[in-house]
């Protein structure tokens, strides 16, 4: 459909649904042939039918799709409505139950299927003349108040064949220029996503003039959307028109954002000029859901292999810094204000929600803001670029990201130049993984653990290590891998995205130590077989539980003497906030990706899992008691 694609003119699909005996097929035939056909004279289900071009309101092919009312054909009906650009719902005006089915059956079905397309309600009046007949609006108003998807209600009957054509003309117009995504007809106000889109286009033409769009800005906007200059008298007339309606909408002989929104609402929506509004929206790259179309996202700029990652460029970070500083004095409302030109705050849901450190006032610092953006770029570069365009409006968004060198080449070169390091956090149940992530991003320690939730969790923060990065900080992403009783479920591709892995164990629990060692061996073997090896570290958590330093030294000696290629366990206490420079050490091994790679059985002719059997029983007991 035109509204789905940037410049696309694929056919508009209009699907006709309704109860048996509501004249679905007759409506299609009447619109296409200019002749009325009584039900017995036409097939029970029409094949796909093209609406003649002379009967279309736009020069776009339109296909009319009849549907069956038989329960056994429900699957076919669902398939059709899932691909619909608009739906025509038919009912008989002398049979209230056929209208009731819209709210009782069809609307719940559409919502369950997440079908969000315009609906045209077509009521067939059987009796040609009736004293004081009830209008379709009176009949349909109650249900229309429940369903904002309904664009229009139309009555038709056999003597008025033009009405049948108008049903599909209105459906075609609604499909191409829907009111639903842009305007709430119940509250009589612009919808939030439409406001965001309009604010973005306003900012682009007003930001160089103290966020006032003057005559020149209106002219440039008109040229961008319609390719036609706006005469000075025309722009003046628009500004004066807004001033009469909303005095605060005009400042310094130009429109404020409030004035611009008033202009759009009154001149385009309330005057029924939806085509003009949608022409503007599509000129700025929006689809029918008021999101940027795929063609606006430079996918080629982040095409990569599994062991490569995507990072923000210095140019993009500069854009983001400037965007942040525009709102950094707004307190808790900062994020809402910052994303006011986007469909919403992308970080209000997992995996970004609660992934970064916030101030005591609940505000993201600049570093936390940039960290979250780096996380989104790492995990979902397409979405990151989409939102980058929303708030920064760059000329060339492809310059906002870069693809890193492959991790395999990093190992060969014995150096990594990544600015964003991803660390996988493994560990058995109750090892302290969640507490580690919480401590990393400055969350208070909580004795209640998150075990059993079975979810991935992220923490992200900018970390400095003068020995590795000098004065420059790198972004460290900590990814908690959920514990599973039946073993790890790791794909080759997921392991390819890991720069460093840490294996956390409860230093007061012998079984936790053994399981962590098993996990280390399992992960090391899988990654080696997949060709995606990475440095690993052991982390001895819960050191606040009366652990004995000598026992830790002995366990360290065991790992070293078996020559498995990794460093001694790093002791931490999340409860006490003591992390022993763990995060700096993670950066250090990430910078030297050829080091701390475990020696697996294929390398040493023995399995890491045998390590536990080499630990003397007396020492194991000492470890358990001491730590």
């Amino acid at each position: 459909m035109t509204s789905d694609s940037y410049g696309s003119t694929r056919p508009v699909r209009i699907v006709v649904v309704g109860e048996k005996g509501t004249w679905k097929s007759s409506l299609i035939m009447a619109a296409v042939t200019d002749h009325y056909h009584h039900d017995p004279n036409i097939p029970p289900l029409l094949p796909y039918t093209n609406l003649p071009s002379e009967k279309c309101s736009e020069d776009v092919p339109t296909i009319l799709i009849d549907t069956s009312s038989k329960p056994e054909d429900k699957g076919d009906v669902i398939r059709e409505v899932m691909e619909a650009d608009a739906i025509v719902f038919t009912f008989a005006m002398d049979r209230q139950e056929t209208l009731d089915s819209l709210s009782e059956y069809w609307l719940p079905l559409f919502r369950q299927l997440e079908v969000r397309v315009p609906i045209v309600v077509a009521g067939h009046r059987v009796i040609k003349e009736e004293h004081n007949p009830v209008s379709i609006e009176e009949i349909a108003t109650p249900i229309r108040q429940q369903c904002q998807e309904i664009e229009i209600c139309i009555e038709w009957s056999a003597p008025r064949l033009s009405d049948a054509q108008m049903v599909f003309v209105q459906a075609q117009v609604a499909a191409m220029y829907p009111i639903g995504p842009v305007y709430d007809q119940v509250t009589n106000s612009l919808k939030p996503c439409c406001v965001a889109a309009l604010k973005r286009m306003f900012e682009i033409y007003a930001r160089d003039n103290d966020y006032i769009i003057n005559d020149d800005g209106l002219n440039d906007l008109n040229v961008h959307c319609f390719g036609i200059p706006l005469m000075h008298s025309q722009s003046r007339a628009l500004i004066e028109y807004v001033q009469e309606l909303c005095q605060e909408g005009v400042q310094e002989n130009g429109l404020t954002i409030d004035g611009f929104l008033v202009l759009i609402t009154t001149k385009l929506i309330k005057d029924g000029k939806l085509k003009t509004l949608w022409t503007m929206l599509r000129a700025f790259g929006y689809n029918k859901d008021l999101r940027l179309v795929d063609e606006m996202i430079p996918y080629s700029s982040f095409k990569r292999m599994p062991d490569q990652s995507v990072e923000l460029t210095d140019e993009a970070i500069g854009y983001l810094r400037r965007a942040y500083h525009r709102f950094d004095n707004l307190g808790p409302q900062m994020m809402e204000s910052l994303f006011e030109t986007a469909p919403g705050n992308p970080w209000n849901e997992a995996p970004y929600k609660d992934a970064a450190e916030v101030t005591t006032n609940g505000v993201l610092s600049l570093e936390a803001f940039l960290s979250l953006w780096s996380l989104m770029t790492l995990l979902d570069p397409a979405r990151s670029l989409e939102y980058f365009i929303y708030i920064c409006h760059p000329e060339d968004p492809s310059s906002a990201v870069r693809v890193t060198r492959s991790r395999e080449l990093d190992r060969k070169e014995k150096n990594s130049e990544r600015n964003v390091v991803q660390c996988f956090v493994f560990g058995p149940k109750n090892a302290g993984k969640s507490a580690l992530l919480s401590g990393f991003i400055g969350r208070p320690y909580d004795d209640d653990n998150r075990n059993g939730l079975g979810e991935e969790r992220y923490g992200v923060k900018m970390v400095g290590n003068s020995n590795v990065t000098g004065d420059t900080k790198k972004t460290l992403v900590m990814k908690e891998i959920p514990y599973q009783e039946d073993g790890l479920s790791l794909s080759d591709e997921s392991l390819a995205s890991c720069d460093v892995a840490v294996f956390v164990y409860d230093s007061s629990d012998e079984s936790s130590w053994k399981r962590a060692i098993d996990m280390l061996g399992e992960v090391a073997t899988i990654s080696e077989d997949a060709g995606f090896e990475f440095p690993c570290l052991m982390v001895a958590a819960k050191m606040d539980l009366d652990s004995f330093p000598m026992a830790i030294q002995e366990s360290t000696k065991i790992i070293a003497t078996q020559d498995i290629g990794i460093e001694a366990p790093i002791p931490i206490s999340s409860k006490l906030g003591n992390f022993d420079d763990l995060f700096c050490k993670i950066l250090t091994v990430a910078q030297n990706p050829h080091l701390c790679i475990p020696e697996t059985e294929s390398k040493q002719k023995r399995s890491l899992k045998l390590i536990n059997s080499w630990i003397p029983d007396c020492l194991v007991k000492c470890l358990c008691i001491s730590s």
Side-chain angles (χ1 to χ4, degrees):
M1 186 177 70
T2 306
S3 59
D4 266 338
S5 304
Y6 202 47
S8 169
T9 55
R10 75 174 180 83
V12 173
R13 296 170 59 89
I14 301 175
V15 178
V16 185
V17 302
E19 300 303 300
K20 182 179 180 181
T22 56
W23 310 79
K24 295 191 297 295
S25 301
S26 297
L27 175 64
I28 294 173
M29 292 296 290
V32 172
T33 65
D34 287 333
H35 295 291
Y36 175 69
H37 295 259
H38 194 264
D39 281 351
N41 299 324
I42 59 176
L45 184 66
L46 294 175
Y48 285 12
T49 306
N50 292 318
L51 186 65
S53 58
E54 65 271 15
K55 300 179 188 297
C56 297
S57 64
E58 301 286 336
D59 187 21
V60 176
T62 300
I63 302 173
L64 309 182
I65 301 170
D66 196 8
T67 59
S68 171
S69 303
K70 298 178 181 179
E72 59 267 29
D73 294 332
K74 180 180 177 180
D76 294 333
V77 177
I78 287 176
R79 279 189 290 274
E80 296 295 0
V81 298
M82 291 286 285
E83 297 181 9
D85 296 313
I87 293 172
V88 171
F89 172 80
T90 60
F91 76 98
M93 293 182 65
D94 59 340
R95 293 165 54 204
Q96 180 65 34
E97 70 276 9
T98 61
L99 178 60
D100 292 341
S101 70
L102 178 58
S103 59
E104 295 172 0
Y105 173 76
W106 291 102
L107 288 178
L109 176 63
F110 297 155
R111 288 165 182 165
Q112 177 187 349
L113 298 173
E114 297 184 350
V115 173
R116 299 184 181 91
V117 296
I119 298 174
V120 173
V121 174
H124 180 262
R125 188 179 292 280
V126 179
I127 302 174
K128 295 181 180 179
E129 293 184 9
E130 184 178 329
H131 180 65
N132 295 325
V134 179
S135 70
I136 189 170
E137 285 295 341
E138 291 178 89
I139 295 174
T141 292
I143 197 169
R144 192 171 183 179
Q145 292 175 342
Q146 304 172 27
C147 177
Q148 294 189 35
E149 296 95 328
I150 296 176
E151 295 271 336
I152 193 170
C153 299
I154 302 178
E155 175 185 326
W156 77 284
S157 62
R160 303 197 302 269
L161 293 175
S162 61
D163 290 351
Q165 296 172 10
M166 185 55 63
V167 168
F168 294 110
V169 167
Q170 291 290 343
Q172 185 196 44
V173 170
M176 298 181 68
Y177 314 114
I179 192 171
V182 298
Y183 195 72
D184 189 324
Q185 298 183 80
V186 175
T187 62
N188 289 319
S189 60
L190 292 168
K191 288 192 171 179
C193 280
C194 183
V195 172
L198 293 172
K199 283 185 175 180
R200 173 176 164 248
M201 72 172 68
F202 175 86
E203 280 197 4
I204 290 173
Y205 288 96
R207 61 187 172 187
D208 294 332
N209 192 42
D210 293 329
Y211 292 93
I212 300 294
I213 190 166
N214 55 19
D215 296 55
D216 291 338
L218 286 173
N219 176 69
D220 293 341
L221 177 62
N222 207 70
V223 171
H224 177 81
C225 296
F226 308 104
I228 303 172
L230 199 63
M231 291 188 296
H232 178 75
S233 59
Q234 292 174 308
S235 60
R236 278 290 92 199
L238 292 174
I239 292 172
E240 290 170 3
Y241 168 80
V242 171
Q243 192 163 28
E244 291 179 4
L245 295 176
C246 173
Q247 286 193 353
E248 61 271 22
V250 177
Q251 289 181 15
E252 302 175 8
N253 291 320
L255 296 179
T256 64
I257 181 58
D258 291 334
F260 184 68
L261 295 178
V262 166
L263 178 65
I264 297 296
T265 303
T266 56
K267 276 290 187 181
L268 300 186
I269 293 179
K270 291 187 177 179
D271 284 358
K273 298 177 181 177
L274 287 169
K275 179 178 180 179
T276 302
L277 175 57
W278 276 105
T279 300
M280 295 175 67
L281 291 168
R282 288 176 185 136
F284 282 86
Y286 289 96
N287 62 18
K288 66 173 183 176
D289 298 318
L290 293 181
R291 302 291 295 260
L292 293 180
V293 294
D294 282 347
E295 289 83 350
M296 292 287 290
I297 312 298
Y299 285 90
S300 60
S301 64
F302 52 85
K303 187 176 181 180
R304 62 205 183 279
M305 299 299 290
D307 68 340
Q308 293 177 292
S309 58
V310 184
E311 298 181 351
L312 295 168
T313 61
D314 291 341
E315 183 178 355
I317 291 173
Y319 270 115
L320 293 170
R321 284 178 182 273
R322 291 190 289 274
Y324 178 91
H325 285 307
R326 283 180 52 204
F327 300 100
D328 64 357
N329 61 344
L330 296 182
Q333 293 78 35
M334 182 188 68
M335 283 299 104
E336 286 69 23
S337 299
L338 182 66
F339 288 108
E340 65 181 359
T341 55
N345 185 342
W347 303 332
N348 280 338
E349 56 189 33
Y352 311 106
K353 186 176 175 61
D354 298 327
E357 189 171 3
V358 296
T359 67
T360 53
N361 295 326
V363 178
L364 288 173
S365 67
L366 174 60
E367 283 196 354
F369 170 73
L370 295 175
S371 295
L372 274 176
W373 216 286
S374 292
L375 176 62
M376 186 161 65
T377 306
L378 177 74
L379 301 182
D380 192 350
R383 193 179 195 206
S384 177
L385 274 177
E386 179 190 359
Y387 276 83
F388 182 79
I389 295 170
Y390 288 137
I391 75 165
C392 294
H393 329 305
E395 294 292 331
D396 179 18
S398 65
S399 65
V401 294
R402 73 178 189 95
V403 176
T404 65
R405 190 169 66 181
S406 73
R407 289 175 174 85
E408 181 181 12
L409 187 55
D410 282 349
R411 288 193 300 274
K412 289 180 180 178
E413 296 291 332
K414 299 182 179 181
N415 180 59
S416 173
E417 298 176 351
R418 279 182 172 75
N419 295 316
V420 180
V421 173
Q422 180 163 214
C423 175
F424 283 17
V425 182
F426 295 94
K429 188 176 181 179
N430 294 322
K433 301 186 298 297
S434 296
L436 171 59
L437 260 69
S438 293
F440 173 58
I441 57 174
R443 306 274 178 184
Y445 178 80
D446 187 351
D447 283 325
D448 292 334
N449 60 59
R450 298 161 52 90
N451 289 307
L453 295 182
E455 60 187 28
E456 289 184 348
R457 181 189 172 203
Y458 288 87
V460 61
K461 185 177 180 179
M462 296 181 76
V463 178
N465 184 341
S466 58
N467 294 328
V468 176
T469 63
D471 295 331
T472 304
K473 290 186 176 182
K474 289 184 180 289
T475 302
L476 178 58
V477 175
M478 303 285 285
K479 176 181 179 180
E480 179 180 346
I481 307 299
Y483 174 79
Q484 296 174 328
E485 294 287 354
D486 56 351
L488 297 170
S489 178
L490 298 169
S491 66
D492 292 352
E493 189 164 335
S494 68
L495 286 174
S497 66
C498 178
D499 293 303
V500 182
V502 299
F503 295 82
V504 184
Y505 65 94
D506 179 350
S507 60
S508 67
D509 184 347
E510 173 191 351
S511 62
S512 182
W513 157 261
K514 287 185 174 182
R515 183 66 187 115
I517 286 292
D518 285 345
M519 295 174 80
L520 172 62
E522 185 178 353
V523 171
T525 300
I526 295 173
S527 62
E528 182 189 356
D529 291 344
F532 299 127
E533 295 176 294
F534 41 77
C536 296
L537 296 172
M538 294 291 292
V539 175
K542 304 186 182 182
M543 292 302 296
D544 49 282
L545 299 182
D546 299 327
S547 59
F548 284 43
M550 183 58 69
I552 297 300
Q553 292 173 14
E554 291 298 329
S555 65
T556 297
K557 197 178 299 181
I558 290 171
I559 293 180
T561 55
Q562 299 308 321
D563 193 25
I564 61 174
I566 68 171
E567 295 182 357
I570 302 169
I572 69 166
S573 170
S574 299
K575 187 173 185 177
L576 299 179
N578 179 9
F579 296 100
D580 194 25
D581 291 329
L582 169 64
F583 309 118
C584 292
K585 292 175 181 176
I586 291 172
L587 290 186
T588 300
V589 296
Q591 186 74 18
N592 300 278
H594 60 295
L595 302 177
C596 295
I597 296 177
E599 295 287 337
T600 60
E601 183 179 13
S602 61
K603 293 179 180 178
Q604 285 194 327
K605 304 300 181 182
R606 60 179 179 268
S607 171
L608 282 170
K609 292 186 178 181
L610 294 177
I611 292 177
N612 287 324
S613 65
W614 297 329
I615 302 176
D617 288 343
C618 61
L619 180 56
V620 168
K621 292 177 181 178
C622 178
L623 280 170
C624 187
I625 295 172
S626 66
S627 30

